[in-house]
Every structure is written in C-alpha cells, then in structure tokens.
C-alpha cells in the first residue's frame, strides 16, 4: 500500500511537470492552472506517504538515502507552494515541479525497506538537523531553477520587467538556504560531539558541507558586497546546483565515512 501511494505521487508530479512545460510553450493559462492542481495533488499524496511511513516506522522518515530524498522532494514542493500562494510567484512553477519530480525519481531508485535507526541517529537532534538540511537543499535547487528561468527570459527579452524580481528571488532563496545550511552544520557539530566525541572529524560529508557553505557565502558576498546582479549571478546559482547534488548523492556513493552505514546513510549535509 505504501508503495502504491509513493508511486501515485511520483506519477502526479510527472503529469504536472509535463503539463506545465506544455502550457508554458503554448502559453495556455488553463493548462498551467490544471497542471498546478495536479502538482498540489502530488504534494498531498507525498505528504500522506511520508506521514504513513513515519507512523509505521515510529520515527521521522529521514534516516536513509531513500527517506531523505523523499523529504527533500517534499521540501521543494512545500517551498514552491509557499512561493505560489504567499509571494504570488508562478513563473518558477514548471521548473520547481521538475525538480520535485527528479528528486523523487532518484528516491524511487533507492531501497525502500523500513529499518531501525542506527544508534548514532537516536538523538533529539535527528529531526532538527536533517530537516533543516532537506529544506536547505530544496532552497538551493529552487534558486538554480529560478536561475534557469532568468536566463531563458533574459535571452528572449533583456528588457522584461520580471527579470529584476527573478534576480531578487534567486537571492532570497539562496539566503534562506544558507541560513538553513548554517543551522544544519551547527546542529550537526553538536550532534557529532554527542555521538563521536568530536565536533568536527573532517568526514567527507562535513568537508563537502563546508565547501557548499563557502560556495553560497561567496554568492552573498558578491551580491551584497560587490553589488553583482543579473545574468552572472543567475549562472552562479545554476552552476552551484551540481555541488549540492554531489554533497547529497556523490559523497554518499563515492566517499564513505562516518555518515555512511552501508546502504543506510545519514543523508544530510553533516
């Protein structure tokens, strides 16, 4: 039953993504609106899935690569819905839906068995640390998605009045993501001291967390200190996404360390 709910959400994300891109190409507001409601249905189904999995496991569903990827995808959906209704931003919907679908598709490739928590994960910091990491990832990927939309819009019409708002939205997403990443690293350091008697061990995940943090801190320095704007900063947000994905996927796959437990991986920045 859980698998049926999971794949139902994945299919709904796929349908909404295709519908939004078709609606964008053919400038169909009706199709975009229908596709957005399909996306909402997908987000609701994913919420039901994560809730049901958490109840069955007796813990937050964020303890391994599959669960973190699903939570990561859900974080993208939550932020996208907030932007759509609270900030009245719709130009990123299609790219955001694509990001949610792709991350959930990656989750679908991972083992989905429910297992007991490793001893090191049984901590009050569990949800706080990993939850902030999931939303940090989500904000960074949406910043990259906004960057793609900025580049496309700029090439089509350099005078488009939406460009300034897009540029500012990239900045806001990265600022939020960096704040959450800072919380992730600090809480992870405290948790590491409790679990391994050391705040910092130069574990591959810790090192790449620091690299990611520096990368986005440089973005804020260029934006606020050097007053950089526009195309350059949009490309910066786009090119930074592979670093985030490597920290999430590459480190866990290629650079095992204290955060790896065979296939049971603590999938967070720390």
């Amino acid at each position: 039953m859980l698998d049926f709910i999971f794949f139902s959400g994945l299919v709904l994300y796929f349908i909404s993504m295709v519908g939004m891109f078709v609606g964008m190409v053919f400038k169909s507001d009706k199709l975009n609106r229908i596709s957005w409601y399909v996306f909402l249905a997908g987000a609701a189904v994913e919420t039901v899935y994560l809730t049901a999995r958490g109840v069955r496991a007796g813990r937050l569903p964020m303890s391994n690569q599959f669960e973190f990827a699903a939570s990561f995808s859900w974080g993208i959906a939550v932020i996208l819905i907030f932007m759509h209704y609270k900030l009245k931003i719709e130009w990123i919907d299609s790219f955001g839906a694509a990001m949610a679908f792709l991350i959930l598709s990656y989750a679908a490739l991972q083992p989905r068995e429910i297992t007991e928590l490793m001893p090191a994960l049984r901590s009050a910091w569990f949800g706080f640390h990993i939850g902030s990491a999931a939303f940090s990832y989500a904000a960074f990927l949406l910043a990259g998605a906004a960057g793609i939309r900025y580049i496309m819009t700029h090439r089509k019409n350099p005078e488009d009045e939406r460009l300034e708002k897009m540029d500012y939205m990239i900045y806001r997403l990265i600022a939020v993501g960096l704040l959450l990443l800072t919380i992730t690293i600090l809480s992870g350091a405290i948790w590491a001291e409790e679990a391994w008697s050391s705040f910092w061990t130069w574990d591959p995940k810790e090192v790449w967390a620091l690299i990611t943090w520096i990368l986005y801190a440089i973005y804020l320095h260029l934006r606020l200190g050097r007053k950089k704007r526009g195309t350059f900063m949009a490309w910066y947000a786009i090119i930074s996404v592979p670093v985030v994905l490597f920290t999430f996927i590459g480190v866990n796959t290629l650079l095992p360390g204290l955060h790896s437990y065979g296939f049971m991986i603590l999938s967070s920045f720390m």
Side-chain angles (χ1 to χ4, degrees):
M1 184 62 182
L2 280 180
D3 280 351
F4 174 77
I5 298 173
F6 174 79
F7 284 104
S8 295
L10 185 63
V11 169
L12 288 170
Y13 277 163
F14 176 74
I15 294 172
S16 68
M17 175 188 69
V18 173
M20 287 180 188
F21 277 111
V22 172
M24 181 175 65
V25 171
F26 291 98
K27 296 179 170 44
S28 172
D29 292 337
K30 183 177 180 179
L31 182 56
N32 282 331
R33 187 165 54 254
I34 293 173
S35 299
W36 173 253
Y37 290 135
V38 174
F39 178 80
L40 290 179
V45 170
E46 189 176 13
T47 301
V48 170
Y49 173 79
L50 289 173
T51 302
R53 186 181 178 92
V55 170
R56 179 173 294 184
R59 54 168 172 75
L60 290 174
M62 293 186 284
S63 71
N64 56 41
Q65 191 78 337
F66 166 76
E67 292 179 349
F68 184 83
S71 298
F72 178 8
S73 172
W74 183 76
I76 293 174
V78 170
I79 295 176
L80 193 65
I81 292 169
F82 174 83
M83 292 171 63
H84 184 99
Y85 288 110
K86 184 67 176 181
L87 304 180
K88 308 301 180 183
I89 293 174
E90 300 180 8
W91 47 263
I92 197 177
D93 288 350
S94 56
F95 293 95
M99 293 289 184
F101 168 73
L102 291 174
I103 296 300
L104 198 60
S105 295
Y106 169 75
L109 301 176
Q110 308 304 308
R112 295 188 298 279
E113 292 81 6
I114 296 176
T115 58
E116 293 293 327
L117 280 179
M118 292 291 177
L121 303 183
R122 295 169 187 167
S123 168
W125 293 103
F126 176 68
F128 187 72
H129 172 69
I130 303 179
S132 61
F135 277 89
S136 177
Y137 278 120
F140 289 145
L141 257 67
L142 285 173
I148 294 172
R149 190 59 196 270
Y150 181 98
I151 296 298
M152 292 177 60
T153 304
H154 184 269
R155 287 181 175 178
K156 185 176 181 180
N157 179 15
E159 304 302 322
D160 195 311
E161 60 182 14
R162 295 177 299 171
L163 288 173
E164 185 175 352
K165 293 181 179 179
M166 291 180 182
D167 178 78
Y168 184 59
M169 195 65 242
I170 296 171
Y171 158 67
R172 293 176 72 180
L173 285 166
I174 288 179
V176 169
L178 188 62
L179 173 62
L180 291 171
L181 177 54
T182 302
I183 293 172
T184 300
I185 291 175
L186 292 176
S187 61
I190 297 171
W191 190 2
E193 200 281 330
E194 291 181 356
W196 301 310
S197 301
S198 177
F199 288 105
W200 190 267
T201 62
W202 295 103
D203 180 74
K205 183 70 82 171
E206 295 174 348
V207 172
W208 278 91
L210 180 60
I211 291 172
T212 305
W213 189 94
I214 292 172
L215 181 68
Y216 284 104
I218 291 173
Y219 172 94
L220 291 187
H221 170 70
L222 292 173
R223 167 94 188 185
L224 301 175
R226 298 297 182 87
K227 307 300 181 183
K228 294 288 187 179
R229 299 284 193 280
T231 304
F232 174 81
M233 299 305 279
W235 276 115
Y236 193 108
I238 295 168
I239 295 172
S240 297
V241 168
V243 177
V244 176
L245 293 177
F246 183 81
T247 305
F248 168 43
I249 300 172
V251 174
N252 290 341
T253 304
L254 304 175
L255 303 172
L258 286 174
H259 288 76
S260 301
Y261 305 92
F263 288 103
M264 292 297 296
I265 300 173
L266 173 56
S267 305
S268 62
F269 272 114
M270 281 287 295

